Amino acid sequence: MSTVRQKTEEQSQQGQEKSSADQAGLIMCEYERSEQRTAESTAESPPTLIGPDMDSMERPANPIHHILKHKTTSNMAKLQRGDPQLKSEKQVKFGREISESSEDEGPEEVAFEESKSVALKSAEEALRARRREKELLKEKRRKKQLFFQEQKKKSLLSEALLEEFDTVPQKKKKLSVEKEESKNEEKEENMQEIKSQKASRSLQGNCSVMRVKDKAADESLQQSAMDFIRSRLYGPGKDRTTNAELLSLEKKRGANQGAAVQFVNKKLGAEQKAKAEKCNKRFIRKQKLIPS
Amino acid sequence: MGEFNVHRVRFFDYMPSAIRALAFQPQRERIAVARTDGTVEIFNRADCFFQEKVIPGRQQAATEALAWVGDRLFSAGLNGEIIEYDLDNNKTKYTIDAYGGPIWSITSNKQGTHLAVGCEDGTVKLFEVHEDRIQFERNLAKQKGRIISLSWHPSGSKIVAGMMDVIHIFDTETGKLRALAFPSYDLLGTSRSQECVVWSVVYLSDGTIISGDSAGKVKMWDSRTGTLIKSHQVTKWDVLTLSVSQDETSLAVGTSEGHVVQFQFLSMVLGQEDKEWVRTRTFKNHTHDVRAVLEVNTAIVSGGMDTQFVVRPLLDKIDERGQASALRNIQFPHRRLVSCARKAGLLLFQYPGHLELWRLGESEGNGERKRENTTLSIKRKRWIAYSTVASFRLYRLHCENNNVSIIKVSKLPKVLSSANQICFSSDSSHLFVASTCSSVHVAILNQSGCKFVCTLKPKSGSGQAINLLAASEDGKWLASANSDHEVQIYNLNKMKPHCTVPVHSSGVSAMAIHPTTNNLFMVHADQQLTEYSVEKKQYTDWSRQVQRHGLHSLWLERDTPVTNVTFNPKNPAHIVLHDMYMFCIIDQTLPLPDQRSQFYNQLTLRSMPEKERKKHSHAFKMCKIFKELLFVELMEDQSLVVVERPLMDITAQLPAPVRQKKFAT
């Protein structure tokens, strides 16, 4: 085998020494033949798959033939890419083929069944992969569902406790029916509070007992309304500055111009001065400017 | 004139509270102002915007809006209650819970029959106004979201409510509604991160709805078709408040920047009929957010977080120069907050929640803290009395060399409940307490306690509350001034009314009885000075001369009223008075200044030689060295006490203003 290879290489080298015009002409006719072969080969099998084929297995192992076949398939790929070296090599090979593979039936073909099986296998693999993925997802979802259910159970009280004080909230409901519906939220809060109070009695934790009357539910609404105004006027998105800055700007552009108020008025600038002092101390300590 | 030792007092940390709402009553020309600490003040527009009444309130009330129904004043706050005020007695009449959560706005219809209240739970509640109370009528359709602002159509048939990102129009009879939605995308197509809050809406009689929102836009909508007519970008920050004039041709817009912008309903081309709302003027009189604005035909009144009450006259509507055409900026209250004991050298400061007692000469202070809101406090050498909304307290004061101790006097007469004004007699033997219907209770003070003597009632039988009380030095006379501009003088020996001073068109801002001549010296809100002789029951000659001669124009053009009048014990012809920016000593022996003469002539007189001074000096000796005065008093030892409150200290403690980028800063 190696000797044959060496021969082909020598001949290829020889072939390269020929004139370019002759090379071109030879290349042209060889290329036509190779085109036919490529057409046949692509029709029968995907060019990328170079696997053990049935034909070569059936036929007697003709080393030269085998090698030549491999080379042709790889050469087909290279031809399609337009490999310059290949073209010169090809002259020799095709010449060889014509002379040596005349006993063959025809161009090498990848059998239909072979390619069909390959295609089927790939399709099956894809199906299997999809099924696996689906199952994985199902598993994940099931786990999440379980987790959420357990969480919910934890947040609610146990059923026994609920039965215990089922009678008490009914009384409270009668009293609060007289008030308007808009106090529903507070009622629920009250009931929850009662529940939590009852729970605390039996739970004995770090819970303190508080009367519902003491906590004015109205205050929380008022507080939330005031927070709403505050966040809208002074909240994060709003461009606000300090009064010291306002006064300093007035001083800068006013009739009697002077320094910024932080430097003139001791009280206003006290915070910044304290910060500056701290910074200075830290710097001095870090830089070890004062030998200690 | 003489030299005085001056005690310059700057430790009275008086902090005014921000203005939250304004409401105008056109019939009586009164403006009601609601502040964030719950107080409601009434200013009289016809009387140079004099602060006639102050109704104390609680901070928990969190007043959000005011509404006048005829002569009655209602307010609503975030604690969910509607309060009606008793304006005759300067207190709240009653409170009603609206049961809707925090109330954001209150408005009355033009006919004066109903009140509409916008609540946190999304309902607009209608209340019927009866003679002595209001009664809940019904809810309009409940919406999702809070109702921030309300406005009634002049016909009374429709209400427009501004909420978050949407405006709803309700029909008051059927309750049906129509929605005007705000786009959730701005012009560039990017969706807005925060919802747009419609802070204020106004419903005009031709069906136009004007809304101001937190994106800084003033939008004009057509309510019949439900479409946006025009949108004006007024500011980068929020548009907080709107107010339209009575004839609906002018709109005032208050912004978070402190600017007040005016829109006018004009035609773009002169002479043509088609009119539209055009932005005309911008007023930059505030430094912080403007939370309430009023368009009062000839002026724009605004108030906000910088606690100043600013009146900006619209000069195209005023014909002549006078009190009406002046820009006014009311910062301090028009009454005394400091009380002084002249012989002992003690000062009593009145804060909203407590009183502070200070001794002059040293920097010692003795503070007492009370839980309730104090309405008034006064002190004499040995007694301190103060009154809150609910109670009246009297204390005996003992000052030894350096120790000050206070002992409460219990068992006060039941008649002495909350009082508007308190006055002690000069020898601390009697206590005069003003009460309802302009009457005064008299009580005797002695070692054992306080004993009620009698009640002095005025002849006229006016129902208004008393603003000022003044007692004479010899203990014979008592003068009282009430909100009806009536001044009544009582004879204390007989405990009967003595006489009534002729009614002046302007209210009295400060008065005092002269120690020796027993002349009642009064300063009015329009800066007029009058002197009335109590014994002779007529105006004095000096007073007539002043009226004939007329006061100098610079004196009349001052925009803050005089809040305190005292006398010089060593020189009976001297009268010491002060307002926010100056203090003045009037010498009754010197001639009155001419219109052409120099009014502020103290510096020039000082530079002249002695002989020339007499030719040029006149009766009014003004001093403008001390600014932002709260109180000036002449003590027994001829030293002057000056209580100042620099405005910069007040500004430094206000909430944060917006960041305005100015050129070259």
Side-chain angles (χ1 to χ4, degrees):
Chain A
M1 279 192 215
S2 56
T3 50
V4 170
R5 266 196 189 148
Q6 279 170 4
K7 277 184 186 172
T8 52
E9 278 164 23
E10 283 166 30
Q11 281 162 355
S12 67
Q13 278 170 11
Q14 284 170 14
Q16 277 171 359
E17 285 158 24
K18 283 185 185 170
S19 64
S20 59
D22 293 310
Q23 278 182 359
L26 277 167
I27 287 165
M28 283 303 288
C29 54
E30 252 80 55
Y31 195 73
E32 282 168 38
R33 278 192 211 143
S34 73
E35 272 190 22
Q36 289 173 8
R37 287 188 194 218
T38 50
E40 289 168 356
S41 61
T42 48
E44 288 165 351
S45 73
T48 49
L49 270 177
I50 304 170
D53 48 358
M54 303 300 281
D55 287 334
S56 59
M57 297 294 273
E58 282 169 17
R59 291 204 202 111
N62 191 346
I64 301 162
H65 182 77
H66 192 68
I67 292 157
L68 280 171
K69 194 204 167 297
H70 274 285
K71 280 232 164 176
T72 50
T73 50
S74 59
N75 287 342
M76 295 307 170
K78 281 188 189 172
L79 263 174
Q80 284 170 350
R81 270 182 265 131
D83 199 17
Q85 194 201 24
L86 183 60
K87 286 176 187 170
S88 50
E89 270 182 59
K90 210 184 23 73
Q91 293 168 33
V92 179
K93 273 175 230 138
F94 279 129
R96 273 213 155 223
E97 266 190 309
I98 290 164
S99 56
E100 289 180 358
S101 59
S102 54
E103 67 248 32
D104 286 346
E105 289 145 18
E108 294 305 319
E109 20 176 88
V110 183
F112 179 70
E113 283 110 4
E114 187 190 308
S115 56
K116 183 172 142 189
S117 62
V118 162
L120 281 171
K121 268 184 217 161
S122 63
E124 280 174 17
E125 287 236 10
L127 268 172
R128 261 183 260 143
R130 222 182 298 154
R131 264 186 236 141
R132 258 182 271 134
E133 279 172 23
K134 273 193 192 169
E135 284 178 10
L136 275 172
L137 275 172
K138 267 194 197 172
E139 273 296 319
K140 275 193 194 172
R141 267 185 246 139
R142 218 180 294 144
K143 279 188 197 165
K144 264 196 192 172
Q145 181 77 10
L146 280 171
F147 179 66
F148 286 147
Q149 280 176 349
E150 278 176 33
Q151 252 196 349
K152 191 166 183 183
K153 276 189 204 161
K154 274 192 210 165
S155 69
L156 292 174
L157 298 163
S158 70
E159 299 213 344
L161 282 171
L162 282 171
E163 285 174 6
E164 194 189 304
F165 44 76
D166 205 11
T167 53
V168 180
Q170 280 177 10
K171 287 186 198 166
K172 289 275 174 183
K173 266 185 204 167
K174 282 181 202 164
L175 283 170
S176 48
V177 154
E178 293 165 7
K179 290 190 180 175
E180 290 233 10
E181 270 190 308
S182 58
K183 289 216 164 172
N184 263 337
E185 291 173 8
E186 286 98 60
K187 272 190 269 174
E188 284 169 10
E189 274 179 51
N190 291 347
M191 289 203 282
Q192 278 180 7
E193 263 192 302
I194 296 162
K195 285 179 192 169
S196 62
Q197 283 170 30
K198 285 268 178 174
S200 71
R201 221 200 298 159
S202 53
L203 288 172
Q204 289 177 16
N206 298 331
C207 315
S208 59
V209 178
M210 210 173 67
R211 282 197 308 177
V212 174
K213 275 190 267 175
D214 291 338
K215 177 186 173 183
D218 296 334
E219 256 181 39
S220 64
L221 277 176
Q222 185 179 348
Q223 197 57 45
S224 69
M226 287 165 82
D227 290 341
F228 166 74
I229 296 182
R230 208 175 300 133
S231 72
R232 277 299 175 148
L233 290 180
Y234 299 100
K238 304 295 167 175
D239 209 4
R240 297 262 168 185
T241 176
T242 58
N243 283 305
E245 176 133 357
L246 179 78
L247 290 168
S248 309
L249 282 177
E250 272 175 32
K251 280 195 104 177
K252 182 173 183 176
R253 310 219 38 226
N256 306 328
Q257 297 190 339
V261 282
Q262 294 100 303
F263 304 109
V264 172
N265 190 336
K266 302 265 167 78
K267 257 192 275 176
L268 285 172
E271 273 179 35
Q272 284 174 313
K273 211 172 179 183
K275 263 194 202 170
E277 291 266 343
K278 261 199 225 168
C279 247
N280 281 343
K281 275 192 186 166
R282 217 184 297 146
F283 179 75
I284 288 169
R285 220 181 297 140
K286 205 173 173 189
Q287 302 287 330
K288 297 181 188 160
L289 291 172
I290 300 174
S292 53
Chain B
M1 184 76 328
E3 286 179 359
F4 298 99
N5 278 338
V6 179
H7 292 267
R8 226 172 150 166
V9 173
R10 281 197 178 182
F11 43 81
F12 183 13
D13 295 328
Y14 164 68
M15 194 62 206
S17 53
I19 293 178
R20 182 59 191 94
L22 292 172
F24 182 56
Q25 190 204 20
Q27 298 92 351
R28 297 259 180 103
E29 302 235 315
R30 299 287 199 277
I31 297 178
V33 175
R35 294 199 183 239
T36 48
D37 64 351
T39 46
V40 172
E41 296 161 7
I42 312 272
F43 286 83
N44 189 347
R45 178 200 175 185
D47 189 13
C48 306
F49 289 94
F50 181 58
Q51 188 184 57
E52 280 188 343
K53 296 172 205 280
V54 176
I55 304 171
R58 299 175 304 136
Q59 185 146 21
Q60 294 92 320
T63 321
E64 278 286 311
L66 286 175
W68 285 97
V69 178
D71 278 350
R72 299 156 74 176
L73 180 63
F74 294 88
S75 83
L78 291 179
N79 61 351
E81 290 178 353
I82 303 175
I83 303 174
E84 179 170 356
Y85 293 97
D86 183 356
L87 296 174
D88 291 338
N89 295 320
N90 289 8
K91 55 184 182 186
T92 66
K93 226 190 227 177
Y94 58 83
T95 66
I96 271 191
D97 200 327
Y99 296 113
I103 303 178
W104 289 91
S105 71
I106 184 171
T107 176
S108 65
N109 63 351
K110 210 167 177 182
Q111 294 80 12
T113 54
H114 283 81
L115 270 178
V117 153
C119 306
E120 170 92 4
D121 62 353
T123 54
V124 174
K125 296 180 193 286
L126 289 179
F127 285 83
E128 236 182 288
V129 175
H130 294 290
E131 262 190 38
D132 53 343
R133 62 196 166 84
I134 57 174
Q135 189 166 25
F136 175 72
E137 196 187 318
R138 66 177 198 280
N139 278 345
L140 297 178
K142 181 175 161 129
Q143 303 300 317
K144 272 190 194 169
R146 50 171 67 99
I147 298 192
I148 308 270
S149 50
L150 280 181
S151 174
W152 219 306
H153 189 264
S155 70
S157 59
K158 289 191 219 143
I159 296 182
V160 65
M163 300 164 62
M164 316 271 291
D165 249 353
V166 73
I167 295 177
H168 284 298
I169 308 174
F170 295 94
D171 186 311
T172 39
E173 268 105 62
T174 59
K176 275 193 208 158
L177 60 95
R178 173 191 213 141
L180 305 171
F182 272 61
S184 58
Y185 292 86
D186 61 16
L187 279 173
L188 297 173
T190 51
S191 80
R192 279 185 279 112
S193 52
Q194 263 188 334
E195 284 178 320
C196 205
V197 182
V198 180
W199 288 117
S200 176
V201 277
V202 166
Y203 209 151
L204 300 178
S205 50
D206 60 354
T208 318
I209 296 174
I210 306 179
S211 73
D213 59 28
S214 61
K217 295 204 171 90
V218 172
K219 296 190 174 187
M220 277 82 181
W221 307 79
D222 184 352
S223 63
R224 268 173 288 120
T225 56
T227 52
L228 177 67
I229 303 174
K230 192 90 189 274
S231 168
H232 298 262
Q233 176 86 40
V234 165
T235 169
K236 199 170 99 179
W237 290 274
D238 302 28
V239 165
L240 290 174
T241 169
L242 296 173
S243 167
V244 76
S245 64
Q246 276 215 308
D247 54 357
E248 295 186 356
T249 55
S250 165
L251 175 78
V253 174
T255 67
S256 223
E257 252 178 321
H259 297 345
V260 174
V261 176
Q262 188 192 14
F263 281 80
Q264 282 180 297
F265 196 51
L266 304 168
S267 56
M268 293 294 272
V269 180
L270 194 62
Q272 283 196 2
E273 280 301 315
D274 52 345
K275 294 187 174 178
E276 53 183 12
W277 287 97
V278 178
R279 178 178 173 174
T280 49
R281 282 179 265 215
T282 309
F283 302 118
K284 302 185 185 180
N285 296 118
H286 290 272
T287 51
H288 290 66
D289 306 35
V290 172
R291 298 201 75 188
V293 80
L294 265 188
E295 170 87 15
V296 227
N297 292 333
T298 55
I300 291 185
V301 174
S302 54
M305 303 300 284
D306 60 354
T307 74
Q308 295 175 8
F309 180 80
V310 171
V311 179
R312 180 65 168 86
L314 296 170
L315 295 171
D316 56 341
K317 305 225 172 129
I318 297 175
D319 293 323
E320 50 183 30
R321 186 167 179 233
Q323 288 284 352
S325 65
L327 167 68
R328 274 173 201 282
N329 195 331
I330 297 171
Q331 280 137 345
F332 289 165
H334 292 171
R335 59 199 175 111
R336 272 194 309 195
L337 290 174
V338 179
S339 174
C340 174
R342 296 168 93 179
K343 289 171 194 164
L346 295 167
L347 286 176
L348 186 69
F349 294 149
Q350 181 184 346
Y351 287 92
H354 66 279
L355 300 170
E356 277 183 11
L357 183 64
W358 292 80
R359 182 189 298 172
L360 289 172
E362 306 133 53
S363 51
E364 268 175 53
N366 188 357
E368 281 174 57
R369 269 151 220 283
K370 307 295 167 192
R371 265 168 280 122
E372 300 99 11
N373 242 329
T374 46
T375 55
L376 186 75
S377 64
I378 202 135
K379 65 180 288 305
R380 270 288 170 164
K381 200 164 99 187
R382 270 173 265 126
W383 300 88
I384 293 180
Y386 77 88
S387 163
T388 67
V389 177
S391 61
F392 184 92
R393 302 253 198 276
L394 184 63
Y395 293 83
R396 182 179 268 126
L397 187 68
H398 289 284
C399 319
E400 277 96 66
N401 282 333
N402 273 337
N403 299 334
V404 177
S405 62
I406 295 171
I407 302 171
K408 183 172 170 178
V409 172
S410 52
K411 290 193 187 171
L412 295 170
K414 279 188 184 170
V415 180
L416 302 177
S417 57
S418 82
N420 268 335
Q421 288 288 324
I422 308 175
C423 183
F424 285 93
S425 65
S426 59
D427 55 356
S428 304
S429 62
H430 284 77
L431 174 66
F432 307 108
V433 175
S435 71
T436 61
C437 298
S438 299
S439 55
V440 182
H441 296 305
V442 181
I444 286 184
L445 302 170
N446 47 28
Q447 285 294 330
S448 54
C450 178
K451 199 178 144 193
F452 173 71
V453 174
C454 75
T455 307
L456 299 169
K457 286 197 183 145
K459 272 190 203 158
S460 58
S462 158
Q464 294 287 320
I466 291 181
N467 276 352
L468 290 170
L469 279 177
S472 65
E473 279 282 325
D474 54 5
K476 209 173 151 193
W477 310 105
L478 176 71
S480 78
N482 70 1
S483 326
D484 261 345
H485 306 171
E486 287 176 2
V487 179
Q488 192 76 232
I489 301 181
Y490 300 96
N491 186 333
L492 291 174
N493 289 345
K494 297 182 203 164
M495 292 293 178
K496 272 190 186 168
H498 178 70
C499 60
T500 315
V501 175
V503 173
H504 189 88
S505 57
S506 173
V508 180
S509 64
M511 69 180 185
I513 300 184
H514 200 282
T516 46
T517 60
N518 273 342
N519 290 336
L520 176 65
F521 189 85
M522 292 176 285
V523 186
H524 297 271
D526 57 353
Q527 319 294 1
Q528 289 290 334
L529 306 170
T530 51
E531 197 183 17
Y532 190 82
S533 165
V534 170
E535 281 146 13
K536 294 180 200 165
K537 294 192 192 179
Q538 60 181 359
Y539 283 116
T540 60
D541 289 332
W542 186 82
S543 174
R544 288 178 211 270
Q545 194 189 3
V546 165
Q547 294 297 321
R548 258 181 280 131
H549 197 268
L551 289 163
H552 198 274
S553 57
L554 284 177
W555 176 268
L556 292 172
E557 278 171 11
R558 287 182 306 113
D559 53 358
T560 48
V562 171
T563 47
N564 192 25
V565 180
T566 46
F567 302 97
N568 187 348
K570 294 215 173 137
N571 191 338
H574 283 177
I575 305 166
V576 180
L577 36 86
H578 80 93
D579 73 357
M580 192 172 140
Y581 291 107
M582 66 94 199
F583 85 90
C584 168
I585 296 181
I586 297 178
D587 192 337
Q588 285 180 319
T589 54
L590 290 172
L592 295 168
D594 273 337
Q595 291 294 332
R596 276 166 284 134
S597 59
Q598 189 188 20
F599 193 57
Y600 298 102
N601 61 352
Q602 293 304 301
L603 286 175
T604 47
L605 283 179
R606 214 182 285 176
S607 60
M608 284 185 204
E610 281 273 355
K611 293 171 208 169
E612 298 239 349
R613 272 186 210 172
K614 282 199 181 166
K615 272 190 246 169
H616 295 275
S617 56
H618 60 72
F620 288 79
K621 297 166 194 306
M622 317 274 279
C623 171
K624 285 195 152 191
I625 300 175
F626 310 109
K627 289 293 169 94
E628 284 110 41
L629 296 169
L630 278 170
F631 186 71
V632 169
E633 179 90 33
L634 199 57
M635 310 293 278
E636 289 279 308
D637 54 354
Q638 291 289 33
S639 63
L640 204 62
V641 173
V642 167
V643 180
E644 287 172 297
R645 180 64 175 151
L647 285 178
M648 202 168 81
D649 291 351
I650 294 181
T651 314
Q653 293 181 34
L654 292 172
V658 295
R659 179 188 299 274
Q660 293 190 32
K661 183 78 185 74
K662 292 225 160 100
F663 180 72
T665 54

